[in-house]
Amino acid sequence: MVEASLSVLVVDDDATLRGRLVRAFEARGFEVRAAADAAVALELARAESPELAVVDLRMPGASGLEVVRELKAIDPATNVVVLTGYGSIATALEAVRLGATHYLTKPADVDDILAAFARAHRTACAA
């Protein structure tokens, strides 16, 4: 189970999806910060590293893979789930290699994302 008191960073250039995820996480008691691009996301993460992050793969400017790399450099303990509407095995493997916990295809709702975080938590506790 993922604790609702954790902080989550939602990074997606799609304002509608970003807003929907922010509202859903807040309704479940998470402390939520949101960004429409990599630059803002990394600025927020440097100011206060989130425990959880949901990152869109394809955004204008820096890609979601670059955001994953930087989030993990800022705080290796940040648990990252990558979302994309353009899934491929190569990008999924690259996301995981860079430190993402899971890679989900859109449309993924907050329950799918929380399940991915919970699986990562169970795996880490079993190790």
Side-chain angles (χ1 to χ4, degrees):
M1 184 58 127
V2 178
E3 294 177 39
S5 62
L6 297 175
S7 63
V8 61
L9 174 63
V10 176
V11 187
D12 199 309
D13 61 317
D14 179 334
T16 303
L17 176 61
R18 187 176 63 249
R20 186 172 53 85
L21 289 176
V22 166
R23 287 187 302 279
F25 277 114
E26 286 175 340
R28 288 166 175 79
F30 289 85
E31 176 190 323
V32 184
R33 286 172 285 151
D37 61 45
V40 173
L42 296 174
E43 183 179 311
L44 291 170
R46 286 184 191 101
E48 186 179 335
S49 180
E51 285 95 4
L52 308 173
V54 180
V55 179
D56 184 23
L57 181 67
R58 291 179 78 173
M59 298 178 287
S63 76
L65 293 176
E66 293 172 58
V67 174
V68 171
R69 181 184 304 114
E70 290 299 317
L71 286 173
K72 297 303 274 186
I74 292 166
D75 184 352
T78 299
N79 189 339
V80 182
V81 169
V82 173
L83 298 180
T84 187
Y86 308 93
S88 76
I89 292 173
T91 53
L93 290 173
E94 183 65 7
V96 171
R97 186 187 71 74
L98 292 171
T101 302
H102 283 283
Y103 182 95
L104 299 173
T105 56
K106 290 180 180 178
D109 66 20
V110 75
D111 292 326
D112 298 328
I113 296 165
L114 288 172
F117 285 134
R119 283 191 301 274
H121 179 73
R122 283 193 303 272
T123 301
C125 289

